[in-house]
Each structure stands twice: as structure tokens, then as C-alpha cells.
Amino acid sequence: MMAWLEATALATWTRQSPSIWAYPTILTLHTVGLGIVVGANAVIDFRLLGFAPRISLPSLSPLFRMILWAFLLNAATGVVLFMSDATAKSRQPVFYVKLTLIALALWNTNLVRRGIQRDGPIGAPLNSPRYRRLAAVSLVLWAAAITAGRLMAYL
Amino acid sequence: MDTFVEWLRATPLSQAIVYRIWIWPLCETLHFIGLALVIGVAGFFDLRLMGFFKQVPIDDARELMPLAVGGFLVNLTTGIIFVIGHPEQYAHNPAWWWKFGFLCVAGLNALIFQFTVGRQTVGLRAGTDTSMAVKSIGVVSLISWFAVLYFGRMLPFLGSAF
């Protein structure tokens, strides 16, 4: 299965093409997506933790759409990067750690999104410990996902 | 330049960075976390300058900026550690010089904002649009930070850094 993935035309091109548009650009897009997903999350999380308290949280909701698009970019580029080196990557435990952390972080982000949608117009509930906890967990999970991703190059 | 690279490479500090195998991955991880803070927080502020997120008063958006500065300082520190550790892979690397150039553009642009049109944005209420000059500052800032990211990621491909 992994060998077959690696042998597909897309995987072979990504791995072997000397073109700047192959591996280097796909990897760069993956980093751009990371910056937007984690950065936009950080804006919302730090706001929930008490930074810039006068910003109304519902006014930040377009950030969730940006997070979604950037995540889709990273899912797509991530699949291609994985395919290009499937055998080795599928044997790396830290890769599965990374996927798990991303799944948990996304679930957490969605809880925040739905919470702001529901409680945003009322406002007050968003200052509760529940949301501060969600925000802190979000920052930790996304930072851990970055760490696991970086460590894939070393472990 | 090469004399400087060789001197730097021979310093105990450079050797210490290279021979402790955990330092490089740790600094890279911090560099990526800092990157996300800069792109996310400064990018959000840039978008506000450009006229997006109009319901957010600019003064309130500005209160988030210390987080971007914090992320930048993390990346400046870890970046200096990379350069001290392996100066030879950056000194003649075109991607590094492009990255450095765009860092200067971003910095200069921020100074221009601070000392000229920035004043226009103080006290600007929710729902108010920004002037063309302020929008341009936002565009230049957003483009230069993404260019910094781009050339940073391209260090191994346009040059030969790892």
C-alpha cells in the first residue's frame, strides 16, 4: 500500500522533480497553512484568555473560515508530502502523534467556534473559566502539533 | 565575509550549538511557533489596517500586537542561534539575503506606520474604514511577512541550508 502510494505519478514527481514547484513549493504551502491555522487560532485563544478584552468575539468569526481554508490547504499538501515518502513516514510513531494532536486541536477549535456562535451575542459566558480552559488547551495542542511535525525530520 | 564565517564557526558558542544535538530541533520548533504568532497576530492587524474586520476598533486590535512582538523576538533569538551555529550555510545563501531584505522592509514599514500615518488610526471607531495610506502599510506588511516565511522555508532549496 505504502509502496504503491510512493510509486504514483504525483508522489514520484513530488520526490524527484528538480522543479522549485515540486517539493519546495508544496512544503512552503504547508508552512503557510500552518502559520494561518495556528496564528488565527492564537488570536482567538489569547483574546479568550483576556488579551484585548474590548474586541468582541463574534467580530473575530471570519478567522474560523480562514482556519478552515488553511487547514484544507495543509490537509492537501500534507497528503502529497506523505505520499512522496510513504514507507518511511508510515513507520514514524511521531507522525501518528502529530495526526492525533491535530485531530484533538481541530475538535477543540470547533468547540470554541460553536461556543462563540452560541454565546457570542450574550457575551458574558465567554468570560467563563470554560472558555479560558478551551483557549489554553488550544494553544498547547497546536504548539504540540508543530513540535511533532518538526520532530518528524529528526526522529 | 568568509573570514568572519570561519571565525564564528570556530567560537566555543558555535561549537556548543552544533554539538548538542537537541538544540537545533528545539530552536526550529520554537522558530515555527514564533512564525505562527507573527503571521497570525501581525497578519490580523494588517488585515484590519487594510479594512477587513472593521467591527474591531484598531486600538483594540493593537492590544494584541505585543504577542506578535514576542513571537518575533523568539524568532530573532533562535534565528541568531542558527546563524552562529552554521554561519557557512547562510552567508552565501541567496534565500537568506532575500529573507533578511524582507525583514528590513517589514521593519521599515512598521517604523513608517508608527511615525507617520499610524496616528490616523488612533481612536478610529468600530465600523470606520482606513485611508489609502494606512491600507498600503497593511498590504506591504502582510506581503513582506509572507515573503520572510517563503524565503525562510526556501533556505534549503534556493541555497543549501538544512
Side-chain angles (χ1 to χ4, degrees), chain B residues 67-90:
Chain B
L67 294 165
V69 175
F72 177 74
L73 290 178
V74 167
N75 280 22
L76 185 65
T77 310
T78 47
I80 289 172
I81 291 172
F82 296 140
V83 171
I84 295 175
H86 279 292
E88 76 285 357
Q89 62 176 357
Y90 305 111

Side-chain angles (χ1 to χ4, degrees), chain B residues 115-130:
Chain B
F115 290 106
T116 63
V117 290
R119 255 171 267 132
Q120 295 177 11
T121 65
V122 176
L124 207 62
R125 293 217 315 278
T128 340
D129 205 358
T130 46

